[in-house]
Amino acid sequence: MKKIIIGGLLILSSLVIAGVIESCSDKKNVNQEEEINDSTTPLHLLKPDYKTPYGQLSADSVKADIDRVFLYIDEVTPAKMTDGKVNPGTYRLTSYEWGVMYDALLDAAKITGDKRYSDYVSSRIGFLASEADKYQGNLDDDGQMKQVKNPLSLDDAGAMSGAWMRAAMADSTLKIDPYIEQYWKIVETTPVHLPDGTIARNRPHYNAVWLDDMFMLLPSMAVRSQYANDPKQLDEAANIASGFFKRMWMPEKKIFRHGYLEGAPEQPSMAWGRANGWAILTMSQLLDYLPENHPKRAEILNMFQQHAAGLKEYQGIDGFWHQLLDHPETYDETSATAIFAYCLAHGVNEGWLDPRVYGPVAQLAWEAVSSKINQKGEVEDVVVGTGMGFEPAYYAYRPVSVKAAHGYGPTIWAGAEMIRLLKEQHPYVNDSAVHYYAVDPEADMPIFSLDENGKAVNVRH
């Protein structure tokens, strides 16, 4: 029998190993007289019983997943009028969650080259603007048209403002500038600002700061700096981010609280998953726009890296993060997991995070999200909209629904960024563990040694 010596260890040839593993994993085929022990079997090569798929991941399988989601949302969000109103569809084309969707699809089109994604953005936004131009009905009768023609709040305008500006820059045929400016006026004038610029709401208490509002405001300001050639918007966004960090960051846990009461001697410390997702997504988007020499870039990059380090420690064994990050007894929640998968993969791709440490974390997170995409393309176990609470029961018992729009954009975004990660890095499964390498180790068997160039130097005899 041919033998191979690797790193001083004697193991059976790969074909024999495969046969042993197969026979060990199927106990019905094991001869009862043959004992499996450390002498007869390479036990470290027995296949683990992972609950979430874990191992070699292909860009093609990720693309198939996001295509299934895309085909679903394309079908259930038609760009048409019905009975004189915007067709309601399953998800609103004008909600902030769909602002996330438009951003995600624009990036997915860029990464994958699939023009269907960007065409969806142009067709839906173009449709909304065109119908708004000629709409003569009562706006109170059509909530979606009202959000385009007469947005009233930051929730109506923040994410949509940024998405519409990005869409206009990506597609010069879109004639949507009047609506962009209308959205932008709401972004500029409606938020409550504390003395240092940090934004707050007067619910559920006066001057309550919501972590979610980092995302509602700051990314649109970053996009505005490019769209309108107004770098002061980026400067102000970075300064406001500092105000959120000062109030919301819990350094002992390296995660953010969801809510803060300005002036209160003690603060609630509920680490809601999706709000932490909006926070790291905001930092990621600011870093995409901040030049290397910007005076605030180092602070925001440091916070992004600290947050990533904290999140890494709270990831569950099946790849998910919990509804309350520091309460593992709360349920696995898909939308937060998708946002974290995107941001950690993006951090690796941009050089902000070590691929050896965060590549496997992002991949396991994506595999978790993938397991929640059903055959219809719906994303399961997404928590519905969530306000501010001061105790764990409120968050722990929030309902989940496949109709919660919050999970769809992040899932497509995460999948697209994972495709980029798989193309730019070199993941290998070694001893049943996923490892990420900056260069291809060029290994065709378990890696027991690498040279200074990152190449496998396994010795064969």
Side-chain angles (χ1 to χ4, degrees):
M1 180 182 298
K2 183 178 179 182
K3 297 179 179 179
I4 306 171
I5 297 178
I6 304 178
L9 296 179
L10 181 66
I11 66 172
L12 301 176
S13 67
S14 58
L15 289 176
V16 175
I17 290 172
V20 171
I21 295 171
E22 183 177 355
S23 66
C24 292
S25 62
D26 185 355
K27 294 181 174 59
K28 293 181 180 179
N29 294 329
V30 174
N31 187 323
Q32 295 300 316
E33 297 178 1
E34 295 178 359
E35 182 183 49
I36 298 172
N37 59 42
D38 193 47
S39 297
T40 64
T41 306
L43 298 178
H44 69 288
L45 293 176
L46 293 177
K47 185 178 179 181
D49 188 18
Y50 293 118
K51 182 178 177 182
T52 297
Y54 178 76
Q56 205 68 39
L57 180 66
S58 73
D60 287 343
S61 71
V62 179
K63 181 64 161 59
D65 280 338
I66 61 176
D67 276 347
R68 192 158 72 255
V69 176
F70 173 74
L71 291 173
Y72 167 70
I73 63 107
D74 188 38
E75 178 183 359
V76 301
T77 55
K80 66 179 183 180
M81 301 292 285
T82 302
D83 298 329
K85 303 176 185 178
V86 177
N87 185 287
T90 302
Y91 308 97
R92 292 173 294 134
L93 295 173
T94 55
S95 70
Y96 83 84
E97 299 95 335
W98 236 241
V100 177
M101 174 62 75
Y102 298 139
D103 277 341
L105 287 170
L106 288 173
D107 281 349
K110 188 183 304 181
I111 290 169
T112 67
D114 193 332
K115 195 170 181 293
R116 293 177 302 164
Y117 303 152
S118 53
D119 284 348
Y120 176 100
V121 177
S122 293
S123 70
R124 269 53 176 191
I125 290 178
F127 156 75
L128 290 170
S130 175
E131 292 299 329
D133 285 344
K134 58 191 179 187
Y135 187 80
Q136 298 296 322
N138 186 338
L139 290 178
D140 289 333
D141 293 335
D142 188 343
Q144 292 209 70
M145 190 54 63
K146 184 175 184 178
Q147 281 189 271
V148 177
K149 291 183 69 71
N150 188 31
L152 300 175
S153 69
L154 184 61
D155 286 357
D156 294 340
M160 294 301 284
S161 171
W164 283 47
M165 286 187 283
R166 285 194 65 197
M169 289 188 287
D171 182 356
S172 61
T173 68
L174 287 174
K175 306 303 180 185
I176 57 177
D177 185 68
Y179 297 103
I180 290 174
E181 295 309 310
Q182 186 169 258
Y183 277 133
W184 182 248
K185 182 179 179 181
I186 299 301
V187 173
E188 280 197 308
T189 61
T190 62
V192 174
H193 286 268
L194 301 176
D196 66 351
T198 306
I199 61 170
R201 303 186 184 210
N202 289 329
R203 64 179 177 91
H205 299 278
Y206 185 74
N207 279 349
V209 181
W210 296 50
L211 186 61
D212 323 44
D213 283 341
M214 282 184 69
F215 178 76
M216 294 295 183
L217 179 67
L218 304 187
S220 65
M221 296 176 71
V223 178
R224 184 73 178 185
S225 70
Q226 181 177 349
Y227 176 80
N229 191 24
D230 184 2
K232 289 183 179 179
Q233 293 295 333
L234 189 56
D235 297 340
E236 186 178 351
N239 286 329
I240 293 173
S242 294
F244 276 100
F245 298 160
K246 180 175 68 175
R247 293 170 173 83
M248 316 303 281
W249 181 244
M250 297 186 289
E252 70 283 3
K253 296 182 177 182
K254 291 190 176 180
I255 49 179
F256 289 98
R257 57 171 51 89
H258 182 206
Y260 180 92
L261 303 178
E262 186 73 359
E266 292 188 51
Q267 296 296 339
S269 297
M270 296 295 103
W272 180 37
R274 190 161 67 222
N276 272 262
W278 296 137
I280 196 169
L281 179 58
T282 297
M283 291 185 280
S284 175
Q285 293 188 294
L286 289 178
L287 290 169
D288 284 340
Y289 284 89
L290 285 167
E292 292 292 331
N293 62 351
H294 193 278
K296 282 286 186 178
R297 182 180 176 84
E299 177 191 358
I300 293 172
L301 177 58
N302 178 62
M303 185 57 71
F304 176 92
Q305 291 168 334
Q306 287 192 63
H307 196 197
L311 292 172
K312 174 172 58 68
E313 300 305 315
Y314 289 103
Q315 186 179 34
I317 61 173
D318 295 316
F320 294 95
W321 279 265
H322 299 284
Q323 163 73 343
L324 283 175
L325 298 179
D326 53 350
H327 282 261
E329 71 276 15
T330 59
Y331 55 81
D332 295 338
E333 201 282 316
T334 307
S335 66
T337 301
I339 299 172
F340 298 148
Y342 166 75
C343 291
L344 297 180
H346 191 63
V348 171
N349 288 331
E350 294 298 320
W352 308 330
L353 298 174
D354 188 335
R356 297 169 299 180
V357 176
Y358 291 96
V361 177
Q363 179 171 322
L364 182 59
W366 167 254
E367 292 279 27
V369 172
S370 172
S371 74
K372 294 298 182 179
I373 302 171
N374 66 28
Q375 287 304 308
K376 288 177 61 177
E378 296 171 318
V379 179
E380 299 176 339
D381 291 340
V382 174
V383 66
V384 300
T386 300
M388 185 189 298
F390 292 175
E391 31 62 40
Y394 169 70
Y395 296 92
Y397 292 98
R398 290 299 285 168
V400 297
S401 173
V402 294
K403 304 307 181 187
H406 314 71
Y408 288 87
T411 294
I412 288 178
W413 225 339
E417 199 68 23
M418 277 305 304
I419 290 173
R420 182 184 169 201
L421 182 66
L422 293 170
K423 289 179 178 178
E424 296 185 4
Q425 298 292 323
H426 302 276
Y428 270 74
V429 177
N430 198 41
D431 199 13
S432 298
V434 172
H435 292 276
Y436 270 63
Y437 299 93
V439 299
D440 188 346
E442 298 178 359
D444 57 1
M445 63 181 64
I447 300 169
F448 284 88
S449 182
L450 294 170
D451 65 18
E452 67 275 11
N453 298 313
K455 302 298 183 181
V457 289
N458 298 332
V459 179
R460 295 170 181 254
H461 292 285

